Amino acid sequence: MTMQAWIEETLARALPGAVVRVTDTTGGGDHFEVDVLASQFVGLGMLEQHRLVYAALGDKVGYEIHALGLRTRVP
Amino acid sequence: MSRDVQAEIDQLVKANPVVLFMKGTPSFPMCGFSAQTSSILQACGVPYETVNVLADPDLREGVKLYGSWPTIPQLYVGGKLVGGCDITRELYQRGELEPMIKAAAAPPA
């Protein structure tokens, strides 16, 4: 499974019903743009929204996932 | 005497209204996100403190724990974490970052 697929599946599982779009920005499997639209973000500030995503991705962030451009939105 | 990195970071973010923990320096940024974040702060036209985490591995890991934020750069304004590059850019584009920074940098009335 590619890292891109792993991110998509992991976020879909952690945020049921979310619309997740992952782009591998270099094709190298470690620089990604991630756009997440999730009802779980409603009422949360950007910081908390991003923390939810980072928590789901766990300790891969900053390591196997070297660069992560993140955009969180509410429906 | 072993080093108390968390206390050092706490002191840094409390002593300076605007602190950016980044990879490299504003004139020699070593990562695209760090470069983008420091140039946004530059555009706000208010002095800001930077900390090059590449020069201090303990601090690099310590600030992730301190802010419970897994990536660098990290921007602190008024002693509180604002976020990384994405949030800084979004706040700047919404026109919310500059007033926040100017308020933190303003001397107490």
Side-chain angles (χ1 to χ4, degrees):
Chain A
M1 175 192 293
T2 64
M3 185 54 73
Q4 180 168 344
W6 182 85
I7 294 172
E8 282 159 355
E9 267 186 37
T10 302
L11 292 181
R13 212 177 319 118
L15 301 165
V19 177
V20 180
R21 274 208 321 266
V22 181
T23 313
D24 183 334
T25 53
T26 63
D30 60 1
H31 287 60
F32 296 96
E33 287 284 334
V34 176
D35 186 305
V36 186
L37 182 127
S39 54
Q40 293 86 344
F41 293 153
V42 172
L44 297 180
M46 266 196 288
L47 209 59
E48 292 320 318
Q49 293 175 8
H50 285 220
R51 280 203 173 109
L52 271 184
V53 174
Y54 284 138
L57 298 178
D59 50 21
K60 283 191 167 43
V61 177
Y63 298 98
E64 293 94 318
I65 301 172
H66 178 70
L68 180 62
L70 188 51
R71 183 165 165 68
T72 52
R73 294 177 297 131
V74 292
Chain B
M1 211 270 286
S2 75
R3 185 181 178 189
D4 183 348
V5 176
Q6 294 303 302
E8 273 181 54
I9 295 167
D10 195 54
Q11 207 269 331
L12 262 171
V13 302
K14 297 230 162 86
N16 302 283
V18 184
V19 186
L20 176 65
F21 292 85
M22 64 181 290
K23 290 178 181 173
T25 63
S27 27
F28 294 101
M30 305 297 281
C31 128
F33 292 132
S34 287
Q36 241 182 72
T37 310
S38 62
S39 60
I40 287 171
L41 290 177
Q42 207 75 27
C44 290
V46 173
Y48 59 100
E49 187 68 32
T50 60
V51 178
N52 178 7
V53 299
L54 296 181
D56 190 336
D58 293 340
L59 206 87
R60 178 178 183 172
E61 290 314 312
V63 77
K64 292 178 186 176
L65 188 67
Y66 180 85
S68 64
W69 190 262
T71 56
I72 303 292
Q74 289 185 25
L75 173 63
Y76 289 78
V77 175
K80 286 207 286 296
L81 176 63
V82 168
C85 179
D86 302 312
I87 291 178
T88 303
R89 188 180 52 234
E90 191 146 342
L91 288 175
Y92 181 68
Q93 285 165 351
R94 291 186 196 168
E96 294 173 27
L97 185 67
E98 209 162 324
M100 183 198 293
I101 286 182
K102 288 194 163 130

